[in-house]
Amino acid sequence: MTDVKETTAVGDAVEEKAKKPGTKTGKRKKTSTDYAIEFFIKIAVTAMVIVVLCVFVIGIHVNHGNSGYPMIKDGDLVITFRIGELNAGEEICYKVDGETKFGRIVAKAGDEVSINDSYVMVNGYGITEDVVYPTTSEGAAVTFPYVVQDGAVFVMNDFRDDIKDSRTYGAIPLENCEGKVILVIRRRGI
């Protein structure tokens, strides 16, 4: 029975010795190489997160042209949000014939668009706009009234004199839409 007491007393002394400051506990000190590896791992993870965000969540575009004027001017840097449903009245970025363009959704799938007396009507009602832009169907490649097919949106330029929008190309398929505009950064003429 005394053997058990002696063993526990020796075990307690070993534990106390391990707890004393200045004694080694088995951890090794970090070297500059360890800090460098941690730093580069953090940089790699951050870069990977940024790439995933830029590919799947946001888009970064430079506007070349006046299709989005006055909201988006030539040379502006435009940030788009790719996730979520696109709604009528939103400014979007889309690609057509390999060119990146900006325009406003006027109608969605199943809607009927017509242009009467320089005014745009969707399903028989005039669209609500902050500024009423005179709009013409003259020179359009589509005939009005135009019914938007499934999986597409009818897009018109804010600068309505430029008819290189859905009046020329027809409805824009949703897979060609790069996302809705969430931020415009002026790069010229500030």
Side-chain angles (χ1 to χ4, degrees):
M1 200 136 187
T2 57
D3 292 338
V4 174
K5 285 182 182 179
E6 288 176 16
T7 309
T8 57
V10 170
D12 290 340
V14 170
E15 280 183 38
E16 280 184 37
K17 189 177 183 183
K19 292 180 185 176
K20 286 184 184 175
T23 60
K24 292 188 178 183
T25 58
K27 281 189 168 181
R28 73 177 180 89
K29 192 173 180 181
K30 283 188 176 182
T31 64
S32 60
T33 305
D34 295 332
Y35 286 114
I37 289 171
E38 283 182 19
F39 176 73
F40 286 115
I41 288 173
K42 289 177 182 178
I43 293 292
V45 169
T46 303
M48 194 175 309
V49 167
I50 290 171
V51 166
V52 167
L53 279 174
C54 288
V55 170
F56 297 109
V57 179
I58 63 170
I60 301 171
H61 311 278
V62 176
N63 181 34
H64 300 288
N66 283 321
S67 62
Y69 183 81
M71 181 180 167
I72 303 171
K73 296 179 180 177
D74 184 38
D76 287 351
L77 183 68
V78 181
I79 310 294
T80 59
F81 186 65
R82 297 175 193 249
I83 300 174
E85 185 179 348
L86 299 175
N87 298 309
E90 293 179 334
E91 186 82 16
I92 66 165
C93 175
Y94 63 97
K95 288 197 177 195
V96 62
D97 294 336
E99 185 181 354
T100 301
K101 299 182 69 64
F102 296 91
R104 193 166 302 279
I105 297 176
V106 173
K108 295 177 75 174
D111 290 342
E112 181 183 270
V113 180
S114 59
I115 300 175
N116 300 326
D117 299 326
S118 299
Y119 194 70
V120 180
M121 298 181 73
V122 177
N123 297 329
Y125 295 99
I127 61 172
T128 304
E129 295 180 300
D130 293 337
V131 178
V132 179
Y133 301 102
T135 307
T136 181
S137 61
E138 187 177 315
V142 298
T143 57
F144 293 99
Y146 180 87
V147 177
V148 182
Q149 64 267 29
D150 287 338
V153 290
F154 195 88
V155 178
M156 295 184 82
N157 297 332
D158 280 351
F159 185 63
R160 297 287 168 84
D161 289 342
D162 179 6
I163 67 165
K164 291 183 181 173
D165 52 20
S166 288
R167 292 174 283 178
T168 300
Y169 305 116
I172 307 298
L174 289 175
E175 56 266 10
N176 291 356
C177 295
E178 297 286 312
K180 64 182 170 183
V181 174
I182 58 171
L183 180 65
V184 177
I185 300 171
R186 293 273 184 256
R187 293 181 4 161
R188 294 189 207 169
I190 295 177

